[in-house]
Amino acid sequence: MRIARFVADGDPTYGVVELAEDQGPNPETIAAVSGDPLAGPVHYTGQRLPLADVRLVAPVLPRSKVVGIGRNYLEHAAERGVEAPTEPLVFLKPNTAVIGPGEPIVYPEETGDLHYEGELAVVIGRICRRVPAERAADVIFGYTVANDVTARDLQASDGQWARAKGFDSFCPLGPWIVTHLSLEEAGTLELTTTLNGEPRQSGNTAQLIHPIATLISHVSAFTTLLPGDVILTGTPSGIGPMEVGDSVSVTIGGVGTLTNPVVAEDAE
Ligand code: MG
């Protein structure tokens, strides 16, 4: 199932993206559901709209936090000139950094080196603490695509990463959450990032140094995870700068494509 949040003519609503029975040129529809599927049971309202006629927004607003994992692909650690960590390297992004598909990444005036980082994101489905790796699948709601936008110069000069990874708009998520992938399937997904249509990153989640189950176990060992919290699993090699006017797309096979423009701060 692909679960999205969308705006048609009012407040954001959750919906299920499906293929219409009558498959014309725009075969996808979105079927609205009541309530929040991350908070409890929902049901179809009966409203169905062409997907092309609605605006998708971030498929989840993390209840408390976005947990990032640094240097979780060997080749990315190498391109950063650092050792791959023996344990997952954890950081936090504020939930206010989250934006949805198509929404602008705002280039802050404090940085001169703004980077994309395409990543698979895990959406947590239930409150949990100290989850054993072998039980990790039980707490996963689904998966979406993320861009762990990073001010590379501030990452170095600040010494820790709160600001470099925490500006508003630095966590695009979307276009929807897929709930049907097994943990094993999520561990073999192709990931590509393009900038203005040109390939920049190419990887596979099979290359994760610390796999998804290990990340959930490690993170939940120190902090309670809430439904709607998100874990970013790390980025493959090929990171690089974005400029105002660019369009960045992260595609994960079997999940979807997340595209965002980059705009100047005063253009908002
Ligand atoms: Mg990252």
Side-chain angles (χ1 to χ4, degrees), residues 204-231:
N204 189 296
T205 54
Q207 300 162 337
L208 291 176
I209 296 169
H210 302 290
I212 293 164
T214 303
L215 300 180
I216 288 174
S217 176
H218 185 82
V219 171
S220 69
F222 82 92
T223 188
T224 299
L225 292 171
L226 303 182
D229 282 352
V230 170
I231 299 177

Side-chain angles (χ1 to χ4, degrees), residues 68-72 76 91 93 116-119 147-150 152 155 161 165 232-236 239:
I69 304 296
R71 302 166 189 164
N72 203 23
H76 170 63
F91 60 93
K93 287 167 93 83
Y116 52 80
E117 293 189 1
E119 311 201 2
N147 189 339
D148 175 23
V149 177
T150 302
R152 197 67 69 198
Q155 188 182 23
W161 304 353
K165 288 177 176 285
L232 310 183
T233 56
T235 199
I239 56 166

